[in-house]
Amino acid sequence: MNFYSIRHLTRFRYKQPVSESIMETRMHPRSDHSQHCLSFSLSVSPRCRVFSYRDHYGNNVQHFDIPGDHEQLVIVAESLVEQHIQMDIPTFLAPDAWGALDAMVAEGDFGEMLLPSTFAQPTPALLELAAKLNVARRDDPLMVVHELNKSIFEYFEYVPRSTRVDSPIDEAIASHRGVCQDFAHTMIALLRHIGIPARYVSGYLYRGREDHDRSLPDASHAWVEVLLPQLNWVGFDPTNDLIAYNRHIRTAVGRDYADVPPTHGIFRGKAESELYVAVHVEASAEPPPLDRKLPIPDDWSVLVERAQQPPERVIPILDTQQMQQQQ
């Protein structure tokens, strides 16, 4: 059994003051058969009241409204997660696994994870890649997924900031470069193309001293979960050519990134925004005290301090100002 302490800091800085921010966050780790979120807190600066609900995928969502003038928005999410050691995944299934998978799909409600979605589209470039990687109904579903996980790892070079959060997968496919989001979207689209339900997972990956992951340790992470007979949903991490368990901490699942961004919202005002994100994950074999404070890196100290300050004076909203998107 492993325990993970996570701090996720997000800062939006505006070049001009904005008069209102409305935000949703999906940073609260899920609790299910493989992991249990023991504690979670969300601090926001300027201070405000935070509300919660659970979306139709079972993700925990926090939302808030800041109605006063502010030049930056700081969000600090802190979690303690208990993760159960999971069984090893085999390399192949029974000879009739394709039939068993089709029966699971026919009897269950998996349509959303089989249809094209915002970022997982069967484009001509995607279909050409499917032929190049020999993505077809052969052998058994698990063997195909194992091979595809490795093929995408080898096909793409991991290059931070080589794509944007709204980039179509064709950009990464054409350049052979991308980030974990592109790896996941490409794998999901390829699996759905051959009738294997696949969904997008947002969360964190703990990196120990002996681990050599390509993805950055100070950012959130994304991978894929695949529906398989006898195994149910199994996680695969094509960015690092890993089975996604034991070091992967899940916060949200959906059809693709559009369903599960860590932050998603709008602000009222005419200003450009600058986004800064930092993530810190610690692991332990024993549960740490619930009141233990994670060490704060130097560049976070001022931001975290501001997140504890009382709210500023509220200034009336000007309805004529422009509403803009931030995520």
Side-chain angles (χ1 to χ4, degrees):
M1 189 173 296
N2 295 322
F3 296 88
Y4 295 102
S5 301
I6 305 148
R7 174 179 278 134
H8 185 163
L9 181 143
T10 306
R11 179 187 67 198
F12 294 97
R13 177 175 289 170
Y14 309 105
K15 292 188 176 180
Q16 299 291 333
V18 300
S19 60
E20 182 177 23
S21 292
I22 302 173
M23 181 70 69
E24 277 191 349
T25 70
R26 286 173 171 80
M27 301 178 184
H28 186 157
R30 293 171 65 95
S31 291
D32 51 33
H33 69 283
S34 62
Q35 68 177 36
H36 183 215
C37 183
L38 299 176
S39 68
F40 175 79
S41 67
L42 192 76
S43 300
V44 180
S45 175
R47 293 284 295 273
C48 64
R49 187 174 180 182
V50 178
F51 301 88
S52 301
Y53 72 93
R54 186 166 292 181
D55 67 19
H56 70 288
Y57 295 116
N59 302 315
N60 299 296
V61 184
Q62 279 69 44
H63 62 101
F64 54 85
D65 180 3
I66 300 173
D69 271 12
H70 50 283
E71 295 183 353
Q72 73 172 9
L73 169 60
V74 180
I75 305 167
V76 182
E78 294 183 282
S79 310
L80 175 60
V81 175
E82 174 188 22
Q83 191 176 82
H84 305 285
I85 302 299
Q86 300 181 58
M87 65 176 184
D88 291 335
I89 301 300
T91 55
F92 58 89
L93 297 174
D96 62 346
W98 283 110
L101 174 62
D102 291 339
M104 287 180 68
V105 171
E107 296 170 1
D109 184 15
F110 304 108
E112 283 189 301
M113 305 308 171
L114 279 168
L115 296 173
S117 55
T118 303
F119 294 111
Q121 296 282 339
T123 64
L126 188 282
L127 299 180
E128 183 179 340
L129 180 62
K132 183 180 298 185
L133 300 182
N134 192 23
V135 181
R137 285 201 160 206
R138 53 183 173 78
D139 303 316
D140 74 73
L142 181 56
M143 290 181 67
V144 171
V145 176
H146 275 302
E147 290 181 17
L148 181 57
N149 197 47
K150 186 174 185 62
S151 295
I152 292 179
F153 171 81
E154 294 173 344
Y155 179 87
F156 287 108
E157 179 184 1
Y158 181 83
V159 181
R161 294 178 293 279
S162 56
T163 57
R164 307 174 309 278
V165 295
D166 59 348
S167 294
I169 56 177
D170 286 4
E171 289 187 16
I173 292 173
S175 66
H176 292 238
R177 304 167 65 189
V179 295
C180 58
Q181 177 178 309
D182 305 301
F183 289 54
H185 285 152
T186 302
M187 185 168 179
I188 288 169
L190 289 169
L191 290 171
R192 291 176 182 170
H193 172 61
I194 58 172
I196 300 179
R199 63 190 186 187
Y200 185 97
V201 187
S202 176
Y204 309 102
L205 174 61
Y206 170 71
R207 179 187 291 184
R209 291 182 178 179
E210 69 282 1
D211 300 313
H212 304 284
D213 308 314
R214 295 199 295 188
S215 50
L216 298 176
D218 58 349
S220 57
H221 192 47
W223 59 96
V224 180
E225 284 186 344
V226 184
L227 184 70
L228 294 165
Q230 304 172 30
L231 302 175
N232 205 4
W233 290 102
V234 179
F236 291 85
D237 181 354
T239 303
N240 299 299
D241 190 21
L242 295 171
I243 304 297
Y245 61 169
N246 298 336
R247 292 195 293 124
H248 292 73
I249 303 117
R250 303 156 71 243
T251 57
V253 301
R255 293 165 297 179
D256 57 31
Y257 175 83
D259 289 334
V260 296
T263 59
H264 180 74
I266 56 176
F267 65 84
R268 190 187 297 274
K270 295 182 179 179
E272 294 182 8
S273 63
E274 177 186 77
L275 174 63
Y276 170 80
V277 175
V279 172
H280 180 75
V281 182
E282 285 189 2
S284 60
E286 299 294 331
L290 293 180
D291 60 350
R292 183 182 73 96
K293 297 296 184 181
L294 283 173
I296 301 175
D298 292 339
D299 58 341
W300 287 21
S301 57
V302 174
L303 297 175
V304 175
E305 181 180 342
R306 287 180 177 176
Q308 311 303 324
Q309 293 176 351
E312 298 179 359
R313 182 174 60 90
V314 174
I315 298 177
I317 299 170
L318 300 179
D319 292 335
T320 58
Q321 289 181 308
Q322 180 180 358
M323 298 292 284
Q324 298 188 16
Q325 181 79 19
Q326 64 181 11
Q327 65 179 28

